[in-house]
Amino acid sequence: MLKITFLGTGTSQGVPVIACQCEVCKSPNPKDNRLRTSILVEDENTTVVIDSGPDFRQQMLRAGVFKLDGLLFTHEHKDHIAGMDDIRAFNYVNQQAVDIYASKAVQHAIKREFHYAFDAIKYPGVPELNLITIDDTPFQIGTITFVPIRIKHYMLDIYGFRIGDFTYITDAKTIPEEEFSKIYGSKVLVLNALRKEPHVSHFTLDEAVEMMQHFSPEQGYLIHLSHQMGLHQEVEANLPKGIFVAYDGMELRFE
Ligand SMILES: [Zn+2]
Ligand SMILES: [Zn+2]
């Protein structure tokens, strides 16, 4: 059994955006409230979180996560790493360091942003972590296998992941064709879709839908939405069959 929980489905500012008075930010529909993009991946034995943005603490509390076997990063942008300091809670409760799975580039950013966790003589209470390097090679965290998929976030090389029948891609602008074979056959495909208007480093709604139709999963879910995308209900109503807008708290189960 594999269980996926969408911890956050919003772009870097989250939705609502601070001080914004637009109809999406003022929407009473809870599906229009989006924390920064992150998912929880669980089987019977293993719990992994992908990305720890600024909402990480709130996401761990809301989803009731009591142990963490690994924190895995897609890339080093602030909305995906800013909350990492709060792994301290897992350090206290589980009395051990947290395993962090990240590319060399992400590790470089982590060492810069959280430099105090790497001091020779550490101030008491800093996050304790074990950095584990990932590259294009498939790897295991506990009993879950991850196949890295190399994608482009404008100029930046970042990772998506295939986990069994499930493929998770966030912050893509292009997916190199040589990586397509890793995605084909996914029952569920998650792709980012920022808004309707063009953007330099993120798929638009049309680009994401076109990619979905290329890979034709049984179900496709869109994440990393901006408030500029529009109301959840209206966007979803206009999507082709089998494509949906993900929302915070949504769960998927695979046998
Ligand atoms: Zn707004
Ligand atoms: Zn992002």
Side-chain angles (χ1 to χ4, degrees), residues 35-87:
L35 297 180
R36 268 56 74 91
T37 289
S38 170
I39 58 166
L40 177 64
V41 182
E42 296 170 281
D43 71 4
E44 293 81 354
N45 308 297
T46 305
T47 302
V48 176
V49 169
I50 302 185
D51 291 332
S52 59
D55 301 313
F56 179 69
R57 172 180 172 274
Q58 196 181 339
Q59 289 165 326
M60 294 302 94
L61 292 170
R62 191 163 75 171
V65 180
F66 294 99
K67 66 155 190 150
L68 190 56
D69 298 298
L71 175 56
L72 170 59
F73 287 107
T74 58
H75 67 299
E76 63 269 39
H77 283 164
K78 200 78 165 184
D79 56 319
H80 296 260
I81 70 168
M84 199 210 66
D85 189 83
D86 281 318
I87 61 162

Side-chain angles (χ1 to χ4, degrees), residues 10-12 37 75 77 79-80 153 170-171 202 224:
T11 190
S12 60
T37 289
H75 67 299
H77 283 164
D79 56 319
H80 296 260
H153 186 28
T170 188
D171 292 68
H202 292 270
H224 211 287

Side-chain angles (χ1 to χ4, degrees), residues 213-231:
Q213 288 173 328
H214 175 84
F215 291 110
S216 62
E218 289 173 13
Q219 292 147 38
Y221 293 94
L222 304 177
I223 57 166
H224 211 287
L225 276 74
S226 158
H227 65 148
Q228 296 166 330
M229 180 68 95
L231 294 166

Side-chain angles (χ1 to χ4, degrees), residues 19-252:
C20 184
Q21 296 290 315
C22 81
E23 65 163 351
V24 176
C25 290
K26 290 201 295 185
S27 165
N29 183 353
K31 291 180 180 175
D32 285 311
N33 282 4
R34 302 181 188 279
L35 297 180
R36 268 56 74 91
T37 289
S38 170
I39 58 166
L40 177 64
V41 182
E42 296 170 281
D43 71 4
E44 293 81 354
N45 308 297
T46 305
T47 302
V48 176
V49 169
I50 302 185
D51 291 332
S52 59
D55 301 313
F56 179 69
R57 172 180 172 274
Q58 196 181 339
Q59 289 165 326
M60 294 302 94
L61 292 170
R62 191 163 75 171
V65 180
F66 294 99
K67 66 155 190 150
L68 190 56
D69 298 298
L71 175 56
L72 170 59
F73 287 107
T74 58
H75 67 299
E76 63 269 39
H77 283 164
K78 200 78 165 184
D79 56 319
H80 296 260
I81 70 168
M84 199 210 66
D85 189 83
D86 281 318
I87 61 162
R88 289 179 302 133
F90 293 109
N91 296 153
Y92 288 126
V93 173
N94 301 325
Q95 290 293 304
Q96 58 188 18
V98 172
D99 289 339
I100 305 284
Y101 294 79
S103 67
K104 283 285 183 202
V106 173
Q107 291 183 27
H108 186 74
I110 287 173
K111 286 177 182 168
R112 188 182 61 229
E113 302 276 329
F114 305 97
H115 57 91
Y116 49 88
F118 298 91
D119 287 345
I121 300 165
K122 293 190 187 71
Y123 194 82
V126 300
E128 287 176 48
L129 49 110
N130 299 318
L131 286 179
I132 298 163
T133 304
I134 63 165
D135 54 22
D136 294 359
T137 317
F139 58 94
Q140 298 256 141
I141 302 178
T143 46
I144 304 176
T145 303
F146 294 82
V147 178
I149 303 167
R150 219 167 356 90
I151 56 184
K152 283 274 187 195
H153 186 28
Y154 183 46
M155 303 287 274
L156 192 68
D157 283 306
I158 70 172
Y159 281 122
F161 300 99
R162 171 100 181 229
I163 307 153
D165 291 328
F166 174 71
T167 297
Y168 180 74
I169 291 175
T170 188
D171 292 68
K173 181 61 185 179
T174 43
I175 304 174
E177 271 184 45
E178 60 268 25
E179 297 294 279
F180 281 10
S181 62
K182 296 178 183 169
I183 304 168
Y184 287 133
S186 301
K187 285 188 183 159
V188 173
L189 175 58
V190 173
L191 289 177
N192 57 291
L194 186 72
R195 63 187 189 193
K196 296 177 181 104
E197 298 75 34
H199 190 275
V200 67
S201 62
H202 292 270
F203 283 149
T204 62
L205 181 60
D206 285 348
E207 288 168 340
V209 167
E210 195 179 311
M211 273 290 154
M212 286 289 187
Q213 288 173 328
H214 175 84
F215 291 110
S216 62
E218 289 173 13
Q219 292 147 38
Y221 293 94
L222 304 177
I223 57 166
H224 211 287
L225 276 74
S226 158
H227 65 148
Q228 296 166 330
M229 180 68 95
L231 294 166
H232 179 100
Q233 214 176 351
E234 287 177 14
V235 176
E236 192 164 77
N238 290 307
L239 289 174
K241 197 166 166 284
I243 306 178
F244 308 92
V245 180
Y247 55 89
D248 286 23
M250 195 182 85
E251 294 179 2
L252 301 172

